[in-house]
Amino acid sequence: MKRLFTISAALRLIFFCLIALPIFAQTPANPTRGWLTVETIMRDPAWIGVSPSNPFWSEDGERLYFTWRRDGDAADSLYVSIRGAVPRRVTLEERKILPVQNGDYTKDFAKKVYSRNGDVFLLDIKRGNEAQLTNTLVNEVNPRFLANEQMIAFEREGNVFVRDLITGLERQITNIRSGAKTPDPQKTELQKTLERQQLELFDVLRKRKNDRETAKKLQELLEQKKPKPFYIGTKNTFALSPSPDARFVTFILSQSAQEAKRAIVPSYVTESGFTEDLPARTKVGEPQTKFEFYVYDVERDTTLQVKPDAIEGVVPPKAAGDTTKTKPQPRSVFYAGPYWSEEGHQAFIQVFSQDNKDRWIVILDPAKPTFSTLLDHQHDSAWIGGPGIASFGSPDGALGWMPDGKRIWFQSEADGWSHLYVVGMDGKNKAQLTKGKFEVYEPSLSRDKKRWYFHSNEAHLGEHHLYSMLLEGGARTRITTAEGRNDALLTPDEKQIAVLYSFSNKPPELFLMNNKAGETAKQLTQSLSQDFMRYAWRAPDITTFKARDGADVPARLYKPEKPNGAAVVFVHGAGYLQNAHKWWSTYFREYMFHNLLVDKGYTVLDMDYRASAGLGRDWRTGIYRFMGGKDLEDQVDGTKFLVEQHGVDAKRIGVYGGSYGGFITFMAMFTQPGIFAAGAALRPVTDWAHYNHGYTANILNIPQEDSVAYRRSSPIYHAAGLQGALLICHGMVDVNVHYQDAVRLVQRLIELKKENWEFASYPMEDHGFREPTSWMDEYKRILKLFETNLQKK
């Protein structure tokens, strides 16, 4: 890639950047309040200005790339800042030859192999030379260096190939095939008898047959040995993983449950003019996909399944009083890994129970093959989860090998918070490297393997900072200092850091700093529009209030300058999500709506109720077997906080939220009479037996086995309790929480002869609305609901 700037030119640009940015970033004189409308805040979010996102460094650390949109850009574009200079848009020609972010490196980080547009490339980082290794019509993916670094392995059409970087020779080392082996033609008894007679009678036939068989054996001896086919039938293969010495290849087979029924979501407004059915998910409790783990021995040309039955806890104990000889069936499990040592002589793997109550980290012995030594077992009576910890349907989590090759590292909630641990390969000498009432995020080892880098909320549960720590633990050094969220990305040489920073009333901007604790970061981007900056956006108070069980519930509190005595409680979605923090919220539309409400005199409370993220294991699992239990109690206790400490009229409180927030709104309106005068339930779950398996089964188990948990947690069973004014809004092509959920509840309200409710449907909207007009219509209705029912009579 050509160098586009001279050093002197770059220095001039840096100087210009540092002088000019404060001018560009200057806010309009005397930003004001009181002029917001729903039409203003629910426009295309581009009116705010488009913040930078997805930053990544070039391999030499001189170029910082990121996605951004400036005036004149038709859409989000790729930008680059060279040595801290003013960012410019990357040309199409540059993008075509830009190395991808992901890939595999040699031990000295001098070379990198990666896949781009389905072909494999090799980059010499020091020389800046890129070599294309494949050019085919099929996709080659997941290239990686083997231990000697003279060869690479990659995947093509479901099999593993090895390429010699010196000779260019490429060979296929697995032969996994769909379907079944074609059986040899079967002969009838008559055909067999006649063939024997022919060979007995005619010497020429016998000689020709012997010659043919001899030639075949010779040809087999002359041919290079190729792997025998392994047929997988109707199963799917994934997670192919060659060992670094290319002796073994592991893979996982999955078999979907054919009897599981999938829902259908009708789409009514279509280009064709006909109603079209959108494929959707199954419902919780349907039979789940089964997984099998296999090891292919390249040297022996054998493929064997490795069963988890010998791992303690995979086969449950017999029920009390069971005297039969029948053994209990092993629990269904899924796998993540394996994780090979650098030279490929050792490996470990994660095994998870499909009910998500157990995670085992065990050594894989590929030569036998077996799962052998248990390195760690985490059991949770609710469900396994937390930062850096994989669960059913999620990525692998954070774990790997320590530099000495004798230990592994991983994250665990063993002490109630997600922290870093190490353990020896004999399963002994387990040590906790971080400890305290905070969570660790994205841990990684430095390139010299002497220290850790990770993000954490140690400084404050509502902040996110970059920390470093020596390899064996000890004191943690906080590197970023700005109050809010700091998503840090180090250069390859780890001397500089790009920081995507935001505060509660400031959308993300990109900053640069040296890798030095307490260093002042310099702003690289200024993204906000003049229109957005002319309003004096509030930074809500980050506070806590006491719940009835004594827990401190974190919350955002928006306080009006001229309170009208009414209040609104906002309930964030997802359940496991954090919103009472000090950074720019993903609920930015709701944040702006709350500013509008406060302008009108409302007090607004937005809390991280039980099951929210960032607050440890007990908080995360506080809703086990009862959604609408402690999480709803927190909302009710929040209203008490508003009344007793902020002068809110107890009869003039509203509640609203989307998805999980819509579900809580229903439970509040149905089961807490007199607490909320009005509520707006957006894209809400009304019956958990109709939601997906991966999320719901963790919390409530499955409907056919825990009907009590489902009935007490599902609003449709409590609809008779509705008293206040209720608004329901739902997108009709929602493939997450199906429109059927809202329709079933509406029918229930009709049969119950309830009258104080309204239902708004959005024919072209999914779970997250896309069209500004839909957002506007929905939030006009919400505002009208509160203005009509919460004003002083």
Side-chain angles (χ1 to χ4, degrees):
M1 190 179 295
K2 293 183 178 179
R3 186 164 291 178
L4 301 178
F5 292 86
T6 64
I7 296 294
S8 59
L11 290 174
R12 287 196 299 272
L13 281 172
I14 293 172
F15 180 74
F16 172 78
C17 179
L18 296 179
I19 292 177
L21 268 175
I23 298 174
F24 295 155
Q26 187 173 5
T27 58
N30 302 317
T32 59
R33 292 173 177 160
W35 53 269
L36 292 179
T37 65
V38 170
E39 289 85 350
T40 299
I41 61 179
M42 295 299 163
R43 289 178 284 172
D44 186 315
W47 84 270
I48 301 169
V50 178
S51 291
S53 61
N54 307 315
F56 65 97
W57 288 101
S58 61
E59 297 298 339
D60 59 9
E62 293 193 351
R63 293 170 172 81
L64 176 61
Y65 295 92
F66 54 95
T67 304
W68 203 24
R69 191 192 305 182
R70 306 298 293 142
D71 292 341
D73 291 340
D76 292 357
S77 302
L78 186 66
Y79 277 74
V80 62
S81 171
I82 303 175
R83 304 186 195 94
V86 173
R88 65 167 179 83
R89 195 182 320 149
V90 177
T91 67
L92 182 61
E93 290 72 23
E94 289 174 305
R95 293 193 70 166
K96 287 180 179 178
I97 61 173
L98 187 66
V100 300
Q101 302 174 48
N102 300 319
D104 190 45
Y105 294 86
T106 53
K107 298 181 185 71
D108 60 1
F109 295 95
K111 295 181 179 179
K112 176 182 177 181
V113 64
Y114 49 90
S115 175
R116 183 176 66 216
N117 299 326
D119 289 310
V120 177
F121 293 81
L122 177 67
L123 178 67
D124 187 320
I125 294 171
K126 292 183 179 179
R127 293 184 174 85
N129 298 330
E130 181 185 71
Q132 184 168 354
L133 302 184
T134 67
N135 185 3
T136 67
L137 297 178
V138 297
N139 286 334
E140 287 97 16
V141 296
N142 298 327
R144 67 216 81 173
F145 287 100
L146 297 180
N148 61 12
E149 299 186 339
Q150 302 299 311
M151 305 177 79
I152 65 166
F154 61 90
E155 295 169 35
R156 176 189 290 150
E157 295 187 315
N159 279 289
V160 176
F161 291 74
V162 170
R163 182 185 181 95
D164 190 313
L165 297 176
I166 306 300
T167 66
L169 178 66
E170 181 180 297
R171 63 189 177 94
Q172 182 175 340
I173 65 170
T174 64
N175 192 4
I176 302 170
R177 300 185 185 183
S178 298
K181 181 180 179 180
T182 303
D184 294 330
Q186 296 297 312
K187 298 177 181 178
T188 65
E189 290 303 315
L190 173 63
Q191 291 167 356
K192 293 176 185 179
T193 299
L194 292 176
E195 182 176 321
R196 285 195 303 269
Q197 289 176 347
Q198 292 295 93
L199 292 173
E200 288 174 4
L201 290 170
F202 302 105
D203 294 340
V204 173
L205 288 178
R206 285 199 306 274
K207 182 178 183 304
R208 289 180 179 179
K209 180 180 180 182
N210 290 335
D211 290 347
R212 193 167 59 247
E213 291 177 348
T214 300
K216 182 180 178 182
K217 290 179 181 178
L218 178 60
Q219 184 63 32
E220 289 174 351
L221 291 172
L222 291 173
E223 284 182 352
Q224 185 179 0
K225 184 182 178 183
K226 295 181 180 178
K228 291 182 296 194
F230 180 74
Y231 292 92
I232 62 174
T234 60
K235 298 175 182 177
N236 296 309
T237 180
F238 67 99
L240 285 88
S241 179
S243 62
D245 59 6
R247 166 69 192 277
F248 303 99
V249 177
T250 67
F251 58 93
I252 300 172
L253 293 185
S254 65
Q255 179 71 68
S256 298
Q258 299 301 313
E259 66 272 28
K261 186 175 182 178
R262 289 189 170 273
I264 295 173
V265 175
S267 178
Y268 293 95
V269 184
T270 65
E271 292 183 15
S272 69
F274 291 87
T275 300
E276 297 174 3
D277 291 336
L278 304 178
R281 53 170 172 78
T282 60
K283 299 187 179 187
V284 59
E286 284 281 43
Q288 296 300 297
T289 299
K290 299 293 184 182
F291 300 93
E292 299 169 348
F293 187 85
Y294 285 83
V295 173
Y296 172 63
D297 188 322
V298 177
E299 189 176 291
R300 297 173 181 169
D301 198 14
T302 58
T303 303
L304 296 174
Q305 182 181 356
V306 188
K307 294 188 176 182
D309 302 15
I311 301 173
E312 184 177 355
V314 170
V315 178
K318 282 190 174 185
D322 185 353
T323 59
T324 66
K325 295 183 179 181
T326 304
K327 293 182 179 179
Q329 288 296 307
R331 298 161 69 188
S332 295
V333 301
F334 65 101
Y335 306 90
Y339 311 89
W340 298 99
S341 63
E342 199 169 75
E343 300 302 325
H345 303 313
Q346 299 182 91
F348 67 92
I349 189 168
Q350 296 184 92
V351 182
F352 294 84
S353 60
Q354 275 199 359
D355 63 12
N356 224 24
K357 297 186 187 301
D358 290 274
R359 178 190 70 173
W360 300 271
I361 302 177
V362 296
I363 290 178
L364 168 66
D365 184 343
K368 290 188 177 178
T370 59
F371 298 133
S372 56
T373 307
L374 177 64
L375 303 181
D376 183 72
H377 177 206
Q378 183 179 340
H379 173 79
D380 197 307
S381 57
W383 73 94
I384 296 287
I389 302 166
S391 58
F392 192 25
S394 78
D396 287 359
L399 71 171
W401 285 89
M402 291 292 280
D404 59 15
K406 299 177 181 178
R407 296 173 295 165
I408 68 163
W409 64 268
F410 59 96
Q411 282 188 254
S412 172
E413 286 185 320
D415 74 345
W417 297 79
S418 185
H419 282 295
L420 268 173
Y421 291 79
V422 296
V423 65
M425 295 307 289
D426 57 0
K428 299 177 181 177
N429 300 316
K430 188 182 300 181
Q432 185 173 354
L433 301 187
T434 59
K435 191 173 185 179
K437 292 185 177 182
F438 61 90
E439 308 266 44
V440 170
Y441 304 88
E442 305 104 25
S444 64
L445 288 167
S446 61
R447 284 200 167 182
D448 63 9
K449 311 294 185 184
K450 293 181 179 179
R451 64 178 58 249
W452 294 95
Y453 288 106
F454 54 82
H455 291 92
S456 172
N457 58 359
E458 180 176 3
H460 186 282
L461 293 177
E463 296 186 34
H464 201 73
H465 289 281
L466 177 67
Y467 288 79
S468 68
M469 180 182 71
L470 292 176
L471 182 66
E472 301 299 337
R476 296 170 292 279
T477 300
R478 176 176 156 188
I479 299 174
T480 55
T481 58
E483 182 182 15
R485 185 179 183 96
N486 298 264
D487 289 316
L489 181 68
L490 282 84
T491 52
D493 64 8
E494 298 173 349
K495 292 181 179 179
Q496 286 191 300
I497 305 173
V499 181
L500 203 57
Y501 168 76
S502 71
F503 190 62
S504 56
N505 62 350
K506 298 176 182 177
E509 297 288 3
L510 202 52
F511 290 73
L512 294 178
M513 63 179 288
N514 292 322
N515 186 1
K516 183 179 179 182
E519 179 91 359
T520 300
K522 296 180 176 61
Q523 188 170 345
L524 185 63
T525 62
Q526 203 303 106
S527 311
L528 300 180
S529 69
Q530 292 291 308
D531 197 12
F532 181 81
M533 289 190 292
R534 71 187 180 91
Y535 183 85
W537 299 99
R538 297 169 177 83
D541 293 344
I542 304 299
T543 186
T544 62
F545 63 85
K546 286 288 184 186
R548 65 192 65 185
D549 62 359
D552 292 313
V553 182
R556 281 184 166 194
L557 180 65
Y558 299 77
K559 296 186 292 187
E561 292 77 16
K562 296 180 180 179
N564 64 8
V568 170
V569 174
F570 169 66
V571 188
H572 70 67
Y576 190 62
L577 178 147
Q578 187 176 10
N579 204 49
H581 49 60
K582 298 182 182 180
W583 60 83
W584 186 249
S585 176
T586 53
Y587 288 98
F588 60 90
R589 292 182 180 87
E590 290 78 1
Y591 164 79
M592 293 188 291
F593 182 62
H594 297 163
N595 274 268
L596 184 156
L597 289 175
V598 174
D599 283 349
K600 292 179 173 292
Y602 292 87
T603 302
V604 179
L605 186 66
D606 168 7
M607 72 187 71
D608 279 337
Y609 52 87
R610 237 60 69 99
S612 297
L615 301 165
R617 180 267 170 195
D618 290 348
W619 204 267
R620 176 179 67 81
T621 62
I623 57 171
Y624 180 58
R625 296 194 68 241
F626 193 3
M627 294 166 158
K630 287 186 177 180
D631 46 1
L632 178 57
E633 289 176 357
D634 289 342
Q635 314 297 328
V636 174
D637 293 343
T639 66
K640 183 180 179 183
F641 165 72
L642 292 173
V643 171
E644 294 181 353
Q645 298 190 33
H646 294 280
V648 168
D649 185 342
K651 298 183 181 299
R652 297 165 57 209
I653 301 175
V655 60
Y656 88 104
S659 195
Y660 197 94
F663 151 72
I664 286 290
T665 298
F666 273 148
M667 294 296 277
M669 298 299 292
F670 295 167
T671 70
Q672 300 293 323
I675 300 297
F676 297 100
L682 322 175
R683 52 194 181 277
V685 175
T686 68
D687 186 344
W688 287 109
H690 288 256
Y691 196 50
N692 69 31
H693 187 93
Y695 178 86
T696 318
N698 279 348
I699 304 171
L700 299 180
N701 303 311
I702 57 177
Q704 58 268 42
E705 294 179 3
D706 200 344
S707 59
V708 171
Y710 278 82
R711 288 184 69 92
R712 69 184 178 186
S713 300
S714 296
I716 199 165
Y717 292 103
H718 308 287
L722 174 62
Q723 291 187 1
L726 175 64
L727 168 66
I728 308 167
C729 299
H730 211 129
M732 295 178 69
V733 289
D734 189 337
V735 295
N736 180 12
V737 179
H738 298 159
Y739 182 67
Q740 180 192 30
D741 264 52
V743 173
R744 292 178 70 239
L745 183 74
V746 164
Q747 179 60 27
R748 182 76 178 129
L749 293 173
I750 291 171
E751 293 181 6
L752 289 168
K753 301 178 182 178
K754 297 292 183 180
E755 298 178 352
N756 50 334
W757 57 275
E758 177 186 351
F759 183 33
S761 299
Y762 298 85
M764 298 188 69
E765 296 294 355
D766 198 343
H767 197 60
F769 284 11
R770 293 177 57 184
E771 301 302 323
T773 49
S774 299
W775 285 104
M776 289 178 191
D777 182 87
E778 183 177 56
Y779 274 78
K780 282 181 181 178
R781 293 175 187 275
I782 297 169
L783 182 59
K784 181 180 178 182
L785 175 77
F786 292 150
E787 292 280 70
T788 301
N789 294 280
L790 303 185
Q791 291 300 321
K792 194 170 184 178
K793 305 298 183 183

